[in-house]
C-alpha cells in the first residue's frame, strides 16, 4: 500500500511539473534623468539559458520582432527610436533567413523629453522567444516606468 501511495504522489508531481507555463524571459524597468528636461528609460530582458529574444529589426517573413508601443502622454515626448545593442546574427533554418537576437540579457533604451518634472512612461512590448527546440507564442508585456 505504501508503494502505491508513493507511486501516485510521484505521478501527480510529474503531471504538475509538465503543466507549468514556460516563462524564459523576465522583464525589468528603470529610468535615469540626464537633465531637467530629458531622461532615458531602460527596458531589460533577462533570458534563461538556451533561450533567445529577437531584435527589433527582423525582416518580414521571420520571427516576431521585439516591438515597443509607448502610450501618448502630455507629460513626455519620445526622442528618436528605441535603441538596442548589436544583436547576435545567424541563419535560422526555420525562417530560412539571417536573424538578429539576444541571449542572457539585453537592455533597450528610449530617450524621453520631459514636459513636466515627473512622468510615468507607459506602454506595451511584444516579443517572441525561442530555443533550439521550440518557439513560444508571441507575448505582450505592459510596462509603467516612473521618472522622478
Amino acid at each position: 500500500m505504501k508503494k502505491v501511495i508513493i507511486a501516485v504522489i510521484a505521478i501527480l508531481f510529474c503531471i504538475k511539473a509538465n503543466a507549468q507555463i514556460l516563462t524564459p524571459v523576465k522583464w525589468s524597468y528603470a529610468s535615469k534623468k540626464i537633465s531637467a528636461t530629458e531622461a532615458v528609460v531602460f527596458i531589460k530582458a533577462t533570458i534563461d539559458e538556451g533561450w533567445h529574444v529577437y531584435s527589433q529589426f527582423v525582416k518580414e517573413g521571420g520571427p516576431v520582432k521585439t516591438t515597443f508601443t509607448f502610450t501618448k502622454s502630455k507629460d513626455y515626448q519620445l526622442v528618436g527610436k528605441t535603441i538596442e545593442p548589436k544583436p547576435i546574427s545567424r541563419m535560422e533554418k526555420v525562417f530560412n533567413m539571417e536573424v538578429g537576437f539576444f541571449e542572457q540579457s539585453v537592455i533597450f533604451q528610449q530617450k524621453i523629453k520631459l514636459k513636466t518634472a515627473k512622468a510615468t512612461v507607459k506602454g506595451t512590448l511584444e516579443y517572441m522567444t525561442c530555443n533550439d527546440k521550440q518557439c513560444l507564442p508571441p507575448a505582450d508585456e505592459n510596462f509603467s516606468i516612473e521618472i522622478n
Side-chain angles (χ1 to χ4, degrees):
M1 182 66 168
K2 198 176 194 180
K3 288 182 182 180
V4 172
I5 292 172
I6 291 172
V8 169
I9 291 171
I11 290 170
L12 290 174
F13 180 79
C14 289
I15 291 171
K16 182 173 172 61
N18 285 336
Q20 291 178 343
I21 297 171
L22 285 174
T23 53
V25 180
K26 312 296 184 283
W27 293 92
S28 58
Y29 312 95
S31 67
K32 179 180 179 181
K33 264 192 172 178
I34 54 178
S35 76
T37 60
E38 290 184 314
V40 177
V41 294
F42 302 96
I43 303 171
K44 181 179 181 182
T46 302
I47 308 159
D48 288 353
E49 185 68 34
W51 291 86
H52 54 269
V53 169
Y54 293 99
S55 167
Q56 300 175 88
F57 308 107
V58 174
K59 293 178 185 170
E60 191 68 33
V64 173
K65 61 187 173 184
T66 300
T67 306
F68 300 94
T69 305
F70 293 88
T71 305
K72 291 188 186 251
S73 171
K74 60 180 176 36
D75 297 336
Y76 67 87
Q77 178 181 344
L78 302 180
V79 177
K81 297 184 186 256
T82 306
I83 61 171
E84 66 181 43
K86 183 177 169 123
I88 300 166
S89 188
R90 76 169 178 222
M91 178 70 168
E92 288 202 357
K93 293 177 187 174
V94 174
F95 303 109
N96 194 31
M97 64 189 295
E98 191 84 11
V99 178
F101 61 90
F102 303 98
E103 296 177 325
Q104 298 176 340
S105 71
V106 58
I107 299 174
F108 299 93
Q109 298 179 45
Q110 176 64 58
K111 195 171 183 181
I112 303 291
K113 180 178 180 179
L114 298 169
K115 297 180 179 179
T116 59
K118 293 182 179 183
T120 301
V121 177
K122 294 182 179 183
T124 305
L125 66 94
E126 180 183 30
Y127 70 100
M128 184 172 167
T129 184
C130 299
N131 64 16
D132 291 339
K133 297 178 182 151
Q134 65 180 326
C135 289
L136 300 180
D140 291 327
E141 175 95 11
N142 294 322
F143 59 85
S144 180
I145 308 164
E146 297 289 326
I147 301 175
N148 296 315

